[in-house]
Amino acid sequence: MDRVYVCNCFGVTEAQVKKHAEDGASTPRQIASACKAGTDCGSCVRRIQALLGRGACPRHELSGQGQPVLSGLETAEALEEVVALEEAA
C-alpha cells in the first residue's frame, strides 16, 4: 500500500485527511481536532490547506464565488490609496 504522509509528527496520511474532510472537516483546525495533524511542528498545515482546496491565499474561497476579494475597498479612491501606499514602500 502506498502511503503519502501529510503529518510526520503524528503519522497522518493524505487518505486520512481526505476522509476527515469527507466527514465534514473543512479547516485545518477541524482536521487537527480530528487527528492532531498540524498541532506539533505545524509544517503540514499548508499541505492540509491544499488538500482541503484552500490554497495559500486566505481569500481563495471567495475568488470564484463572485464575492469581492478586496472587501472594504469599494471605491476607486480607496484602491488608489492602497496602490500609492504600496508604491511608497
Side-chain angles (χ1 to χ4, degrees):
M1 177 179 233
D2 191 25
R3 292 187 181 165
V4 177
Y5 286 94
V6 173
C7 176
N8 291 322
C9 297
F10 293 105
V12 179
T13 65
E14 189 174 286
Q16 288 172 300
V17 171
K18 288 179 180 180
K19 175 69 173 124
H20 291 304
E22 288 171 9
D23 292 342
S26 60
T27 66
R29 184 170 290 180
Q30 291 171 341
I31 295 292
S33 293
C35 63
K36 293 178 133 183
T39 61
D40 193 22
C41 77
S43 67
C44 60
V45 174
R46 287 186 185 261
R47 180 70 181 133
I48 292 169
Q49 287 175 323
L51 289 171
L52 294 173
R54 307 172 92 198
C57 175
R59 298 299 212 148
H60 176 73
E61 65 274 4
L62 299 176
S63 64
Q65 301 174 1
Q67 302 271 339
V69 176
L70 297 173
S71 63
L73 298 178
E74 288 82 24
T75 65
E77 293 85 19
L79 185 55
E80 289 173 4
E81 186 176 325
V82 170
V83 170
L85 289 172
E86 287 178 352
E87 290 176 344

